[in-house]
Amino acid sequence: MTLKPLADRVIIKQVEAEETTKAGIILTSAAQEKPQIFEVVEVGPGGVVDGNEVVMVVKKGDRIITGKYSGTEVKIDGEEFTIVRQSDILAVVK
């Protein structure tokens, strides 16, 4: 099954948590902090949303940061994705 976002929506997937600290200490899965960085999997076409023209700024493969409780989580074929509006994206990580 594939997902195709509509309008100004973006499908994102969470980046894997760090397994070691900068000092080289290996963390257990319980001690790992859930990362706030996501990778863009698919981008909608943009267009007119709520009477305003929306131009999509993010693209597939970008790494982004969203609000902590933004979006709708979905599970497709055993993989977890989040669908957010482009306006919920706070920053692109370079």
Side-chain angles (χ1 to χ4, degrees):
M1 184 180 309
T2 60
L3 292 174
K4 179 67 179 157
L6 303 175
D8 67 334
R9 299 213 171 46
V10 179
I11 299 173
I12 57 178
K13 185 174 182 177
Q14 193 154 33
V15 174
E16 295 296 319
E18 293 291 324
E19 295 182 10
T20 58
T21 64
K22 291 180 182 179
I25 298 171
I26 298 174
L27 300 172
T28 65
S29 60
Q32 293 174 0
E33 194 173 307
K34 192 173 182 181
Q36 299 255 330
I37 298 176
F38 295 83
E39 183 174 344
V40 176
V41 176
E42 200 66 50
V43 179
V48 178
V49 178
D50 297 329
N52 299 316
E53 182 70 26
V54 176
V55 176
M56 300 306 284
V57 177
V58 295
K59 61 187 180 307
K60 188 174 180 176
D62 280 352
R63 293 168 71 99
I64 55 117
I65 298 174
T66 66
K68 195 167 200 148
Y69 302 105
S70 298
T72 302
E73 295 179 0
V74 295
K75 193 170 190 175
I76 303 292
D77 296 333
E79 288 190 84
E80 293 182 16
F81 299 97
T82 305
I83 302 172
V84 297
R85 287 182 172 260
Q86 180 173 256
S87 60
D88 292 335
I89 297 173
L90 303 175
V92 175
V93 179
K94 297 278 183 180

